[in-house]
Each structure stands twice: as C-alpha cells, then as structure tokens.
Amino acid sequence: MSAATTTTTMTATPVTAPAHAEVNDHVAPRACLNDRGTMLRSPLEVDDTGAMSAQPRTADKTMPFKLASAGFSFFAAGVNDGSLGALIPYVIRDYSITTAIVSALYAASFAGWLTAALTNTHLTQRLGLGTMLALGAMLQAAAQALRTWPPAPPFGVYVATFALTSLGQAYQDTHVNTFVAGSSSAAGAHRWLGFIHAAYMAGCLAGPFASSAIASTSGSASGSAEAAPSRWWLFYTVPLGLGLANLGLVFAAFRDSLHFRWRRQTDLSVPEDGGRETGDGPSATAMVRRTLSTPSVWLLSLFFFCYLGFGVTAGGWVVEYLVDVRNGDLAHVGYVPAGFSGGCLLGRIVLPEPTHRYGERRMVFLYCVCCLVFQLVFWLVPNIIAASVAISLLGFFSGPFFATAISVGSRLFPPDINATAISFVFVFAQVGGSLFPIVTGVLGSHLGVGVMQPVLVGLIVVTTVSWLLVPRPPKEKQ
C-alpha cells in the first residue's frame, strides 16, 4: 500500500495456539482461524505495517511474490511439525531416555506458543510486518541450526529448540495469516488462506518421508547391540535449508515493511454503535470476563481440547507404538505419520461440501463415530498394515473438524466477543494438544506405550459427547 494512502486502521491482535491448519468457505468472515492456533480478526485489508484497514488495497505488483513467500513459510513449518513422530523412536534410543522424558518436547512447544501469545501484541506495536515475519523466520532457522549440532545436540539444547521453533512459527504464522486474509477481497481471501494451509499439510506429508529416509539410512534404532547408531539429527539440515530460504524470501518479498515504529500504535476498535474506543481501555477486561462467563465458549473449548489432544497424540506416538508393541521395522513404519497427515489433507478437501450440505451437527457426529470405529480397528487388529490404513482413515474423518467447529462458533458467539471467544478456544485447544501427548508419555514410561490406545479411545468419545453438547447457533446468524 502506498505511503500516501490515508487509511483508518485497526491493530490486528492475533492470539496463537496450536498445531494444524485450514480455512473453509463456510467460516464467517468475522474471525478467521486455523488449527495451528492462529486467530485473525475480520479479514479487512492489511497495510504494510501489518495493521488492518477498512479501505481496499491498491494494486500491488509484488503481491504474488508475497503470497508465494507466505505459502513457503507454511510448507517449511509443516515439514518441521510432521517429522517429529517419525523421529521420536530414534531420540528415545539415542539419548537412552524414557517416554516420560521425551514428552518434554511437547511441553517446550507449548511454552513457545504461550510466550508468543503474551508478547505478540506488544511487538506488533513496535515492529513492521516484514520485521515481525523476519523475526519469526530467524527464530526458526536458529532452532534448526542448533539441531544439526554433531553428533546430535545435547538433550537440553534439543528440548529448547522446540520452544524457539514454536515461538518463531507463532510470530510468522500469525502475521502471514493476517496479511493473506487482507490480501484480496473478502470473496477471494479464503482461497489464498486455503492455499497457505494446504501448503502446511503438504509439508506435514513430506516431513515423515524425509526424516525416516535420512534416519534409517545411517543406522538402526531397533535396539540390537550390533546396530550402528542412527545419525537422525542430519535430517534437520533439510528444515535448516528451508528455514534459510524462508528467511531470504521474507527479506525479499516484504522489504517494504522491514522497519520499526518508535511511537506505540494505538489499538482502535469500532463498536457496533458506530462509536470508537481507543487505547488499551478497560473494555478489554470486560470483554474477557464476558467471554469466560459464556457457557458455549467452554463447551466448544472442550471439543477442541479433546480433538487436538487425540490428533497430536496419534500423530506423535504412533511410530513408537508400532515399533514397541507391534514389533515393526522402524525403517518402514516411520512413514505411517505421513498417512495420517495425508488422510487429514484429503479429508479437508473432500468432506467440507457434504458437511455443509447435510448439516454440520449431524455430519461431525457421524465423522466422530467413524473415527472411533477406525481407532478400535487400529487398537484391536494386530496387523501393521491394518493399523496404517486405520490411522490414515482416522486422519481423513477428523480432517473437517476444525473448519466446521469454527464455522459453528463464529455464528454461535455474540458478535462483540466473537474474536476474543475464538482466541480463548484455541488457547484451550493448545493446552489439549500439549497435555495429552505428555500424559501418554508419562503413562507409557510406567505401563508401556500401548497405553496410547485407551487414551485415544477416551479422547474420541469425549470429543463426540462435547460436540453434542455445543448449542445450535441461532438461525438468524446462519
């Protein structure tokens, strides 16, 4: 946007929280979210400072380059996130640690997202859009560089890199989402958001293939004394290269907003009565209190809490389960998380239309029942091929949960607390996505990693019940 253009801006205040992402045509334009945990305010136009403007964006010849950079940043994040499940068995055996200790990786990731939630608003008042994106890209590249420390980084350093990576992803993904949401008209923004979120899932699909291939060619983690140690940490040269390319693209594409703002920008929000509230204002506290006193917020939060809990737990512990319980060959079963990610991606492409056509409440309940069936197949059928197919179908039927639930929430919550309510929902969801993998690891250290199966069954059941408890949106909001 030209510097001479006069706009009335509203500071974007993203709140971050979890790990996975998509946007759907049926999501109301008041609040755009992805399931990596990023909350966006209404998809208005975004100027070069990262602020949102109510006026249309003028033609920008660099826009395709910026959108390509945005998509690549999500692809790089997906490669990082999708590789962990395949690498956990190597990490456990290389450091000679238990599943309880390796759960610290998930705790560190949560710490990074929480830190971003507490600091993001303050940083956006001082840093331009390009500077925020560059900061996020730098943190991610630094974390990947530490992970390539030969011959494998100290475990404490390795854990700390997960906090750095999550912090960098939170900063970059938040502002990429905000920028893309305002990069075109309201009718077309969802397509570009869909593009970057599809890029993320493509990265999640590629991550296990790359990590398993590199880790398995340099040794074996099967536990035999004769096996050569795996140099699994060499995989991180791949996300390091992607991270440096991501950083270079940010500097090149967003060079027009690589600056600092020394005067603190005032947060402006426009109430429905047409008046204006300025500054940090006491109304923010009142809005939070009203949000926390709304029962539907807690009910939808419970749904996301359990949904992300079983999704992250299944993707993170499935390889260790197949190796430890089913005696699978790590060099081959390391690719199973790619099946889960691929199923989830396919579900997000195929299922939104029938979900919208036949009713969200009915169809999500049906998908939950299907997830429970295939989870029981995964648990009770002692066959690795059957387990691999079942986990892929579990990802397929859980794919549309995120966009559908956000669509319901955007119509269910009162308009004046819509953005705040959805922010809280995803903070709570991130707690579930971090807590249940930790619980599974701690229990697994005492009872065996097979404890993952009853945990997943319980989470799917509670997810189903919590969905039925979510109130129906008023018809006038649909």
Side-chain angles (χ1 to χ4, degrees):
M1 179 178 291
S2 170
T5 304
T6 302
T7 61
T8 300
T9 61
M10 179 173 60
T11 303
T13 56
V15 178
T16 59
H20 308 145
E22 83 260 41
V23 167
N24 181 280
D25 291 359
H26 318 309
V27 179
R30 293 187 58 85
C32 297
L33 252 281
N34 65 39
D35 53 17
R36 286 181 58 77
T38 304
M39 193 282 299
L40 310 175
R41 291 190 184 274
S42 55
L44 303 176
E45 302 303 322
V46 183
D47 63 21
D48 292 334
T49 67
M52 288 180 145
S53 172
Q55 295 187 3
R57 175 186 291 272
T58 57
D60 186 352
K61 294 182 179 180
T62 65
M63 186 58 62
F65 190 24
K66 291 179 177 178
L67 293 172
S69 173
F72 186 82
S73 70
F74 266 64
F75 176 80
V79 170
N80 174 82
D81 295 350
S83 63
L84 180 58
L87 291 177
I88 279 181
Y90 295 97
V91 173
I92 290 175
R93 289 155 179 80
D94 195 36
Y95 291 111
S96 300
I97 57 178
T98 65
T99 55
I101 296 176
V102 82
S103 298
L105 303 179
Y106 293 100
S109 295
F110 174 69
W113 285 102
L114 180 61
T115 301
L118 298 174
T119 60
N120 188 60
T121 302
H122 303 286
L123 289 175
T124 55
Q125 294 174 342
R126 302 292 186 181
L127 306 180
L129 172 62
T131 311
M132 282 299 301
L133 298 181
L135 174 62
M138 286 178 184
L139 289 172
Q140 293 175 74
Q144 304 297 355
L146 288 173
R147 291 174 178 177
T148 60
W149 185 327
F155 185 69
V157 173
Y158 186 61
V159 171
T161 63
F162 281 80
L164 280 178
T165 301
S166 296
L167 183 62
Q169 287 181 0
Y171 287 153
Q172 188 171 27
D173 294 355
T174 291
H175 294 280
V176 162
N177 270 289
T178 306
F179 172 79
V180 174
S183 64
S184 59
S185 65
H190 70 277
R191 295 185 178 90
W192 289 111
L193 286 165
F195 160 70
I196 63 174
H197 299 152
Y200 172 78
M201 288 310 304
C204 287
L205 188 60
F209 285 101
S211 58
S212 292
I214 294 175
S216 62
T217 55
S218 56
S220 173
S222 61
S224 62
E226 298 81 6
S230 170
R231 293 188 292 173
W232 54 270
W233 47 270
L234 286 177
F235 158 73
Y236 287 110
T237 59
V238 175
L240 174 59
L242 294 175
L244 293 174
N246 176 31
L247 181 59
L249 284 173
V250 167
F251 276 117
F254 294 91
R255 59 186 179 276
D256 54 350
S257 56
L258 288 167
H259 57 73
F260 297 88
R261 294 193 294 271
W262 299 111
R263 177 180 297 180
R264 190 172 71 120
Q265 196 169 26
T266 303
D267 185 14
L268 302 177
S269 59
V270 182
E272 292 189 0
D273 61 5
R276 173 173 293 172
E277 299 172 358
T278 60
D280 300 323
S283 60
T285 302
M287 189 177 299
V288 170
R289 288 176 179 172
R290 185 181 174 195
T291 298
L292 298 181
S293 64
T294 303
S296 59
V297 172
W298 289 99
L299 292 172
L300 193 63
S301 296
L302 178 62
F303 172 79
F304 275 102
F305 179 77
C306 297
Y307 160 50
L308 258 68
F310 88 72
V312 176
T313 301
W317 288 108
V318 61
V319 176
E320 178 64 13
Y321 173 83
L322 293 177
V323 171
D324 188 67
V325 178
R326 300 286 173 84
N327 299 314
D329 183 356
L330 182 54
H332 295 96
V333 299
Y335 299 104
V336 172
F340 180 80
S341 298
C344 189
L345 174 60
L346 187 61
R348 293 172 179 180
I349 295 172
V350 174
L351 295 180
E353 181 57 32
T355 302
H356 177 67
R357 177 172 298 183
Y358 297 111
E360 296 159 327
R361 190 178 185 87
R362 178 188 301 111
M363 294 305 293
V364 169
F365 174 75
L366 178 61
Y367 299 152
C368 286
V369 173
C370 292
C371 286
L372 181 59
V373 169
F374 288 111
Q375 169 55 33
L376 290 174
V377 171
F378 177 30
W379 183 6
L380 301 177
V381 178
N383 182 277
I384 292 180
I385 295 177
S388 302
V389 174
I391 199 71
S392 299
L393 291 172
L394 180 63
F396 175 77
F397 284 106
S398 64
F401 283 7
F402 171 78
T404 304
I406 285 302
S407 176
V408 171
S410 64
R411 305 194 308 269
L412 180 63
F413 302 144
D416 56 328
I417 66 165
N418 196 293
T420 305
I422 294 181
S423 301
F424 175 79
V425 165
F426 273 88
V427 169
F428 207 66
Q430 179 62 19
V431 174
S434 300
L435 174 64
F436 288 109
I438 295 173
V439 170
T440 302
V442 172
L443 292 176
S445 67
H446 298 285
L447 305 175
V449 75
V451 75
M452 176 190 76
Q453 297 290 12
V455 169
L456 290 179
V457 169
L459 286 173
I460 294 173
V461 170
V462 179
T463 299
T464 306
V465 174
S466 63
W467 175 252
L468 296 177
L469 294 176
V470 174
R472 295 179 182 272
K475 291 184 178 180
E476 60 270 20
K477 286 187 178 182
Q478 296 184 12

